[in-house]
């Protein structure tokens, strides 16, 4: 069974959305340099120096500008093989909407649409 490992919340106004989640839920929002895009990490619990959760039971996420491809909240699933998962998605009524992209030295990330048109993130860890 594949686990949910991340979420993303698109926004129209960064200051408004970060203020909402910081004030309502106490999240720590910090800019995450990403080539070619504006992206902010949403820490929903205590994290280590690498931004990874220090306790079981919670995941972190991100805040990013809304786009034509991503207008609603996205959940991201961890997969063993991102290319195989994209192919399986397409074979089962889904659609690839973003090719896999490298995320630093951590792994690869892509978007697919499920059979109902929902955007789903898929994440493959870089082999260590």
């Amino acid at each position: 069974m594949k686990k949910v490992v991340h979420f993303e919340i698109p926004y129209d106004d960064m200051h408004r959305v970060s203020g909402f989640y910081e004030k309502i839920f106490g999240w720590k929002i910090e800019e995450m340099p990403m080539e070619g895009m504006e992206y902010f990490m949403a820490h929903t619990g205590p994290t280590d120096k690498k931004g990874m959760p220090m306790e079981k039971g919670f995941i972190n996420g991100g805040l990013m500008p809304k786009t034509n491809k991503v207008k609603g909240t996205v959940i991201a699933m961890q997969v063993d093989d991102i290319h195989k998962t994209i192919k399986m998605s397409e074979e089962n009524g889904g659609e690839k909407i973003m090719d896999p992209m490298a995320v630093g030295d951590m792994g690869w990330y892509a978007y697919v649409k499920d059979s109902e048109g929902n955007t789903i993130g898929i994440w493959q860890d870089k082999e260590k």
Side-chain angles (χ1 to χ4, degrees):
M1 188 176 307
K2 301 303 176 197
K3 297 178 180 123
V4 175
V5 295
H6 188 74
F7 64 86
E8 293 176 323
I9 301 171
Y11 60 80
D12 290 316
D13 183 307
M14 179 54 204
H15 296 293
R16 183 176 61 213
V17 75
S18 62
F20 179 89
Y21 287 103
E22 288 172 335
K23 290 173 187 163
I24 303 301
F25 299 115
W27 293 0
K28 178 182 172 192
I29 309 296
E30 65 180 0
E31 188 168 6
M32 174 84 158
M34 300 270 291
E35 189 173 325
M37 71 182 292
E38 185 175 296
Y39 198 86
F40 293 81
M41 287 299 300
H43 299 283
T44 66
T47 57
D48 63 19
K49 291 180 183 179
K50 294 182 180 181
M52 302 305 292
M54 294 173 51
E55 298 173 359
K56 291 184 179 190
F58 78 91
I59 60 173
N60 289 320
L63 305 173
M64 62 189 191
K66 287 181 184 174
T67 68
N68 288 335
K69 292 181 181 178
V70 181
K71 296 179 183 181
T73 300
V74 174
I75 58 169
M77 307 294 190
Q78 185 168 20
V79 300
D80 296 326
D81 183 325
I82 201 165
H83 297 286
K84 182 178 177 182
T85 302
I86 290 169
K87 183 178 179 198
M88 288 173 59
S89 172
E90 293 171 332
E91 293 171 350
N92 288 279
E95 173 189 355
K96 176 181 72 174
I97 59 171
M98 184 181 83
D99 287 323
M101 65 178 226
V103 179
D105 63 354
M106 297 182 292
W108 295 270
Y109 193 57
Y111 289 132
V112 296
K113 284 197 178 203
D114 69 10
S115 61
E116 308 309 303
N118 300 300
T119 301
I120 304 294
I122 51 175
W123 172 261
Q124 178 185 330
D125 283 329
K126 184 175 183 178
E127 294 191 28
K128 299 187 169 118

